[in-house]
């Protein structure tokens, strides 16, 4: 009798019961693990056994107000839980970034910035960056899930430097980085691009610890390497950049790798190009997918993202999205309340509470900081104005009591003059 090797079956069973973080690590160790864990059968089984959910927040804007709808193909798990929304936040928000660990970055009109976990309805306000500079692009990446550690990169438009000749020769972008460990924003060196380049306003694609955006006009790829706090630029596949000037090109993530999709010349197919070697920026044309059946129903159908190795999310013009299994030809169309015109944000999450501060609040209790400030204010009153230094005098002049006294003095002088 031939003996049967059960090792692959055992590994498969273990992976279907492992956490998202463990599965992510195994994908880096083995090509075989990477392949099987992106398969449709595995993703559905893993979702059911580990109580996780995967899908997309589809964002739209109407009358200067943002709306979001969550869509998922995992209907079995989905019916067991209330509909995901962002209504638990204190105000209506715009989604700025998403992660595969269930954490979203949102911004209000005021503006205020929040990080939240929709499955547990947790949220936390973070400090504002320099909001007087107009936001161009924002991305978020989770460094570690337990304990939670994340970073946020924000790119904005700098002020015009009229006396700087080099300023008008290039396209400059301010860069700020938020770290949940320090709970502060740090300003980095400005990004210097060619004068005809600019970053796309679409959501960032997170791959290999870096955030990626397409650039306008030339259709290059801008990559911000979070750990190194540096950036680089590289080109699309030559045939894509030459044959699709001004056409629909979408930057996506496919099976953990950076990829790009484009509609074929015949308009009835789309191509999927995958960067097989990130360090050497080597592209490979992985698939040519027939979408003629979808285009007959809606000519404006175009790819938005890949749900797994088999299923692509297609968006349509008439408030609809389609989960299309391009390997067996099946598809599932879903209707949305609004047209998707402000981004498609990948979302994968469990239902366990997370410490959105990354432990920072425990290390720096609010009460202690508040008492120390009050003690400093009281100590200032013990000195006369002549004994105060410049910084102490400035702190005193910005206090409420000083302003009240100043107003009273001005009013008294006005009465005497009258």
């Amino acid at each position: 009798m031939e003996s049967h090797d059960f090792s692959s079956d055992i590994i498969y069973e273990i992976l279907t019961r492992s956490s998202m973080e463990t599965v992510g690590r195994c994908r880096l160790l083995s090509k075989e693990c990477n392949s099987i864990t992106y398969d449709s059968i595995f993703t559905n089984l893993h979702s059911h056994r580990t109580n996780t959910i995967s899908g997309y927040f589809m964002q739209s804007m109407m009358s200067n107000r943002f709306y979001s709808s969550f869509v998922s193909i995992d209907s079995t798990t989905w019916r067991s839980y209330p509909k995901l929304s962002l209504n638990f936040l204190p105000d209506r928000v715009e989604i700025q970034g998403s992660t595969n660990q269930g954490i979203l970055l949102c911004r209000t009109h005021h503006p205020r910035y929040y990080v939240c976990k929709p499955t547990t309805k947790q949220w936390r306000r973070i400090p504002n960056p320099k909001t007087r500079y107009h936001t161009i692009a924002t991305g978020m990446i989770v460094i570690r899930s337990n304990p939670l550690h994340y970073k946020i990169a924000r790119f904005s438009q700098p002020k015009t430097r009229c006396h700087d000749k080099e300023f008008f020769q290039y396209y400059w972008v301010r860069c700020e980085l938020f770290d949940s460990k320090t709970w502060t924003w740090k300003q980095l060196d400005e990004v210097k691009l060619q004068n005809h380049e600019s970053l796309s306003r679409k959501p960032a694609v997170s791959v290999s610890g870096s955030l990626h955006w397409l650039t306008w006009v030339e259709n290059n790829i801008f990559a911000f390497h979070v750990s190194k706090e540096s950036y680089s630029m590289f080109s699309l596949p030559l045939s894509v950049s030459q044959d699709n000037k001004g056409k629909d090109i979408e930057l996506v993530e496919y099976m953990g790798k950076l990829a790009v999709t484009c509609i074929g010349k015949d308009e009835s197919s789309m191509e999927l190009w995958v960067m097989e070697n990130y360090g050497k920026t080597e592209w490979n044309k992985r698939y040519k997918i027939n979408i003629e059946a979808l285009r007959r129903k809606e000519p404006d159908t175009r790819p938005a993202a890949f749900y797994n190795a088999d299923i692509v999310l297609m968006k349509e013009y008439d408030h609809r999205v389609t989960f299309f299994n391009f390997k067996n030809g099946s598809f599932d169309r879903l209707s949305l309340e609004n047209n998707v015109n402000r981004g498609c944000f990948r979302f994968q999450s469990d239902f366990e509470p997370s410490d959105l501060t990354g432990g920072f609040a425990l290390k720096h209790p609010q009460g202690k900081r508040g008492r120390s400030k009050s003690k400093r204010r009281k100590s200032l009153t013990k000195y006369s104005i002549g004994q105060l230094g410049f910084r102490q005098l400035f702190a005193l002049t910005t206090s409420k009591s000083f302003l009240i006294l100043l107003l009273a003095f001005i009013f008294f002088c006005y009465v005497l003059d009258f």
Side-chain angles (χ1 to χ4, degrees):
M1 295 179 62
E2 294 182 0
S3 60
H4 179 71
D5 184 11
F6 291 97
S7 59
S8 58
D9 296 335
I10 294 173
I11 292 173
Y12 189 89
E13 287 296 315
I14 293 173
L15 287 173
T16 57
R17 291 172 169 82
S18 301
S19 66
M20 295 185 298
E21 187 174 15
T22 300
V23 172
R25 290 173 180 172
C26 292
R27 285 169 174 169
L28 300 175
L29 298 176
S30 165
K31 287 185 178 180
E32 183 181 359
C33 284
N34 188 71
S35 178
I36 63 174
T37 55
Y38 280 107
D39 181 78
S40 291
I41 297 176
F42 177 89
T43 54
N44 290 335
L45 187 59
H46 178 266
S47 178
H48 298 159
R49 289 181 173 179
T50 59
N51 194 26
T52 57
I53 190 168
S54 298
Y56 299 88
F57 275 98
M58 314 300 291
Q59 184 165 252
S60 59
M61 186 177 73
M62 295 181 62
S63 303
N64 292 324
R65 300 187 72 180
F66 286 93
Y67 301 87
S68 62
S69 302
F70 182 77
V71 295
S72 174
I73 199 172
D74 190 7
S75 58
T76 305
T77 301
W78 182 232
R79 289 168 185 164
S80 304
Y81 297 94
K83 186 177 180 180
L84 280 186
S85 73
L86 302 179
N87 294 336
F88 63 93
L89 292 172
D91 203 347
R92 187 175 293 276
V93 297
E94 172 192 3
I95 301 174
Q96 295 271 294
S98 65
T99 68
N100 279 335
Q101 292 77 20
I103 310 298
L104 294 183
L105 171 67
C106 303
R107 184 186 68 176
T108 65
H109 179 70
H110 302 305
R112 295 191 182 99
Y113 283 77
Y114 297 96
V115 290
C116 67
K117 188 170 183 177
T119 52
T120 59
K121 297 186 178 181
Q122 294 174 273
W123 61 273
R124 180 83 179 187
R125 184 180 173 185
I126 66 172
N128 275 7
K130 300 294 184 182
T131 55
R132 63 177 176 270
Y133 300 100
H134 177 69
T135 301
I136 297 174
T138 309
M140 182 181 190
I141 191 168
V142 170
I143 309 298
R144 185 182 176 89
S145 297
N146 189 21
L148 183 63
H149 177 208
Y150 56 89
K151 291 187 179 183
I152 302 166
R154 176 179 178 264
F155 299 92
S156 57
Q157 187 174 349
K159 289 184 178 179
T160 303
R161 298 190 286 270
C162 299
H163 302 291
D164 186 356
K165 293 182 179 180
E166 192 179 24
F167 181 82
F168 298 96
Q169 296 174 357
Y170 297 93
Y171 181 75
W172 298 88
V173 182
R174 294 182 75 258
C175 180
E176 297 169 276
L177 189 66
F178 178 83
D179 191 335
S180 64
K181 276 191 173 181
T182 62
W183 210 248
T184 57
W185 291 89
K186 177 171 68 172
Q187 184 174 340
L188 307 179
D189 294 336
E190 286 187 354
V191 173
K192 180 181 176 182
L193 304 178
Q194 294 299 317
N195 202 19
H196 53 272
E197 292 278 26
S198 62
L199 298 184
S200 167
R201 304 300 173 96
K202 293 183 178 181
V205 177
S206 176
V207 171
S208 300
S210 301
L211 299 167
H212 304 83
W213 291 267
L214 278 176
T215 64
W216 295 111
V217 184
E218 293 298 323
N219 281 333
N220 289 316
I221 296 177
F222 172 82
F224 178 72
H225 313 294
V226 176
S227 61
K228 297 180 180 179
E229 298 182 359
S230 63
Y231 68 93
S232 62
M233 295 274 290
F234 45 87
S235 302
L236 293 173
L238 187 60
S239 62
V240 174
S241 59
Q242 288 181 345
D243 299 341
N244 295 273
K245 284 284 187 180
K247 291 188 177 181
D248 288 330
I249 299 176
E250 199 73 34
L251 194 65
V252 297
E253 177 256 335
Y254 181 74
M255 296 180 66
K257 295 183 178 182
L258 190 66
V260 63
T261 63
C262 61
I263 302 297
K265 292 181 180 180
D266 55 3
E267 300 288 332
S268 63
S269 65
M270 75 174 191
E271 297 177 357
L272 173 65
W273 291 76
V274 179
M275 184 174 283
E276 303 292 357
N277 190 318
Y278 189 85
K280 297 180 180 180
T281 62
E282 294 179 352
W283 293 95
N284 175 43
K285 184 179 176 181
R286 185 76 69 93
Y287 293 110
K288 184 176 181 179
I289 303 170
N290 191 331
I291 57 173
E292 186 177 1
L294 297 178
R295 287 247 167 178
R296 279 200 300 263
K297 289 182 175 293
E298 175 52 59
D300 199 40
T301 299
R302 62 175 66 90
F306 278 83
Y307 184 79
N308 53 34
D310 313 324
I311 298 174
V312 57
L313 177 68
M314 310 287 289
K315 59 182 179 181
E316 304 176 8
Y317 182 74
D318 59 348
H319 301 184
R320 292 187 182 185
V321 294
T322 300
F323 285 99
F324 175 49
N325 189 320
F326 60 90
K327 291 188 177 179
N328 63 23
S330 63
F331 57 87
D332 186 12
R333 300 179 79 197
L334 304 174
S335 297
L336 304 176
E337 294 180 2
N338 302 296
N339 188 19
V340 181
N341 56 15
R342 288 289 174 166
C344 166
F345 296 87
R346 172 69 170 169
F347 183 80
Q348 185 177 12
S349 179
D350 56 26
F351 290 82
E352 298 298 322
S354 297
D355 180 12
L356 298 180
T357 67
F360 182 83
L362 299 177
K363 300 173 187 176
H364 304 81
Q366 292 281 354
K368 291 183 179 179
R369 283 185 289 181
R371 285 193 294 271
S372 61
K373 287 182 180 180
S374 63
K375 287 181 180 178
R376 286 198 298 270
R377 286 172 182 162
K378 289 180 180 179
S379 62
L380 285 174
T381 61
K382 297 180 181 179
Y383 298 93
S384 65
I385 296 298
Q387 293 174 312
L388 292 175
F390 176 77
R391 290 185 179 180
Q392 293 172 320
L393 182 60
F394 179 80
L396 180 62
T397 57
T398 56
S399 64
K400 291 183 180 179
S401 58
F402 180 84
L403 291 174
I404 293 172
L405 291 173
L406 181 62
L407 289 173
F409 177 76
I410 293 172
F411 177 77
F412 181 71
C413 293
Y414 174 81
V415 172
L416 288 179
D417 290 339
F418 185 79

